[in-house]
Amino acid sequence: MKTFNRALELPKNFKRMFWIQALMNFKLLNTIISIFYAHRGLSLREIFLLGVVFAITNLLFEIPSSYAADKWGRKKTIAVAVVFLLLSSVCDYFAHSFLFFVMDLACYALSYSFMTGTDDALIYDTARELGQEKNSAKELGNYYSAQRFFKIVTPLMAVAIASGMLEWQFKTIIVIEFVTTMAALPFVWRIVEPVHKMEVEKVEAGIILDAWNLIRNDWDLIRMILNRTIMFTASFLIWRIHQEYFLSIGVPVWTLGIMWALLHLALYVGNRKIDGILPRFSAEQKINALNTIFVLGAIAFTIFAFEGANKWLLIASFSIFTVAETARWSLFSDLFNKRSKSYNRATTLSLTNLLKSFFDVPLALGAAAIVAFGPPYVFLFVTTIAVAIAIFMPVKKTRV
């Protein structure tokens, strides 16, 4: 019988977490999710309302999930996240009504709540126990690259399987997602629980007070958080209906698959090379430059949508602002980590997720109301918000 050796097994947490993240993000359905919703009878308004369900569920469980990570351990909490993702796939398989999809998005949001923060903490605590705390940023970077690992090919797989947009094809995709998510569980079972260096319960118990202190004493940090979250939400709301919109203007579904495969490849490579891009620019300058590219791309996309421009111009402008927004994430992560130590890092990440959920609700409700006039009006709505954030809330130089 093989003897457990903690010294040998603990360093394997990094690879195990990589594969857990990669398998949980296999997500074939995401490439055609709005098409799937429409196939199952949802309107564009209901698609946006599902975003509200996700945001409210995440808002309610952001703090309880952190308590769970502290009380049960990171490993068990991640296992719960995988189980909720499996339940989401089950709901996808059977859902043919808005209320059933509400259950689906609630399960998906619970998976997100239990996973986010817990995964970072596990990797961070593992690095600390191994005496490799200085390498934690590198390990986190490798971990987040797992989100793109399968997505370089899954968009092409999705459109190949669902080429006819038939019910059995969608169900095949859902079954594949269920199996790949199940494949993450053996990696979860083999995680070695690291020694906890941060008492998450104490951190989260004072999060409201900490949030107030951050707002009162560190407006630059709040500006940074708002810039990241609101710009992301603006991009996400366009993403929410872009598939159905592109199909409505004659873009073949296989074109969407190729587009997303190339976008994920660009993001995978770009995130790993972000330090070498404009090396004389600070992280703040890079973020503001990407914000400018995002805004220009979103403005072009909106104008092209109203003018009924060539579909290739729409695809090009959509690709530009999508890559620009997503490329900011690792830069923001670097700034947040440099700005704070253990206690403030947890508070900052929790506050970021809470603020995102707070803004997701009214913005998604606004989009749900505006979409009745047509998708281009949603694009105009969120682009206007993005322009305002870029102008009035640029990221300022971090005082470390």
Side-chain angles (χ1 to χ4, degrees):
M1 185 175 181
K2 189 176 180 180
T3 304
F4 175 77
N5 188 323
R6 184 177 180 85
L8 292 177
E9 292 296 320
L10 186 63
K12 296 179 183 179
N13 276 358
F14 300 126
K15 284 188 176 180
R16 289 164 183 163
M17 288 299 296
F18 178 94
W19 288 111
I20 291 167
Q21 180 72 276
L23 290 164
M24 290 180 71
N25 278 275
F26 197 83
K27 294 178 181 173
L28 286 168
L29 201 59
N30 271 4
T31 304
I32 51 172
I33 190 66
S34 64
I35 301 170
F36 169 68
Y37 287 148
H39 171 81
R40 290 288 180 89
L42 297 190
S43 66
L44 292 180
R45 176 177 175 273
E46 288 174 326
I47 291 173
F48 282 122
L49 291 178
L50 289 178
V52 177
V53 173
F54 181 93
I56 291 176
T57 305
N58 189 43
L59 186 63
L60 292 175
F61 285 89
E62 173 65 27
I63 294 176
S65 63
S66 294
Y67 284 135
D70 188 49
K71 185 175 181 179
W72 299 342
R74 321 297 196 215
K75 177 177 177 176
K76 291 180 181 178
T77 306
I78 291 172
V80 171
V82 175
V83 170
F84 274 121
L85 191 58
L86 289 169
L87 290 175
S88 175
S89 290
V90 172
C91 290
D92 275 331
Y93 192 89
F94 293 105
H96 283 83
S97 68
F98 178 72
L99 288 179
F100 216 131
F101 276 113
V102 167
M103 294 172 57
D104 172 16
L105 265 291
C107 288
Y108 188 81
L110 283 166
S111 174
Y112 180 84
S113 296
F114 277 87
M115 188 68 175
T116 55
T118 306
D119 51 357
D120 285 2
L122 189 144
I123 291 173
Y124 183 77
D125 288 339
T126 298
R128 289 194 65 171
E129 185 175 341
L130 291 170
Q132 300 173 5
E133 189 175 352
K134 291 182 179 180
N135 294 329
S136 62
K138 176 184 175 182
E139 296 297 346
L140 284 167
N142 291 335
Y143 170 66
Y144 277 104
S145 72
Q147 294 179 355
R148 309 287 170 188
F149 185 74
F150 286 121
K151 288 181 179 179
I152 296 171
V153 296
T154 52
L156 297 175
M157 292 176 59
V159 298
I161 295 171
S163 57
M165 299 298 152
L166 303 175
E167 179 65 14
W168 71 267
Q169 294 173 335
F170 287 119
K171 285 188 173 181
T172 299
I173 285 175
I174 294 167
V175 169
I176 293 172
E177 285 193 354
F178 184 88
V179 171
T180 54
T181 303
M182 281 286 292
L185 285 174
F187 292 99
V188 176
W189 303 145
R190 298 183 68 186
I191 286 174
V192 178
E193 187 74 44
V195 175
H196 294 183
K197 294 294 184 180
M198 292 182 288
E199 297 182 23
V200 175
E201 184 172 351
K202 292 182 180 179
V203 172
E204 298 292 356
I207 191 170
I208 301 302
L209 178 60
D210 292 326
W212 168 248
N213 288 333
L214 282 171
I215 292 171
R216 185 180 64 180
N217 299 323
D218 199 347
W219 172 244
D220 286 344
L221 178 58
I222 296 303
R223 177 195 296 269
M224 199 182 298
I225 293 172
L226 292 177
N227 188 293
R228 182 188 184 215
T229 58
I230 297 178
M231 295 285 260
F232 165 77
T233 300
S235 176
F236 178 76
L237 290 174
I238 296 177
W239 175 86
R240 199 72 176 156
I241 60 170
H242 81 280
Q243 300 149 2
E244 190 69 14
Y245 171 71
F246 277 135
L247 285 186
S248 73
I249 63 172
V251 176
V253 67
W254 61 263
T255 302
L256 296 180
I258 293 173
M259 177 188 74
W260 274 110
L262 292 174
L263 291 181
H264 286 304
L265 177 60
L267 288 167
Y268 181 83
V269 175
N271 282 332
R272 287 177 170 268
K273 303 292 184 180
I274 194 68
D275 286 342
I277 300 173
L278 299 175
R280 295 183 180 181
F281 279 47
S282 66
E284 295 86 354
Q285 289 173 319
K286 290 181 182 180
I287 288 172
N288 289 328
L290 288 169
N291 284 345
T292 300
I293 296 171
F294 169 71
V295 165
L296 292 176
I299 290 173
F301 180 74
T302 302
I303 292 173
F304 293 152
F306 274 104
E307 293 295 323
N310 182 283
K311 61 187 178 184
W312 298 110
L313 289 175
L314 283 159
I315 290 173
S317 54
F318 176 85
S319 300
I320 288 169
F321 78 72
T322 298
V323 169
E325 194 285 317
T326 310
R328 308 176 316 144
W329 297 0
S330 61
L331 295 169
F332 275 114
S333 178
D334 182 52
L335 289 178
F336 291 154
N337 280 284
K338 284 181 178 178
R339 199 178 187 91
S340 54
K341 300 301 181 183
S342 296
Y343 180 80
N344 280 334
R345 181 179 296 115
T347 302
T348 300
L349 292 174
S350 294
L351 180 58
T352 301
N353 288 332
L354 286 172
L355 282 175
K356 177 186 176 298
S357 298
F358 275 124
F359 285 105
D360 279 353
V361 174
L363 290 177
L365 286 173
I370 293 170
V371 76
F373 300 99
Y377 289 92
V378 175
F379 306 154
L380 177 61
F381 169 62
V382 297
T383 297
T384 302
I385 293 170
V387 170
I389 293 298
I391 293 174
F392 298 110
M393 287 191 179
V395 177
K396 294 187 175 182
K397 182 67 177 177
T398 302
R399 300 187 302 270
V400 181

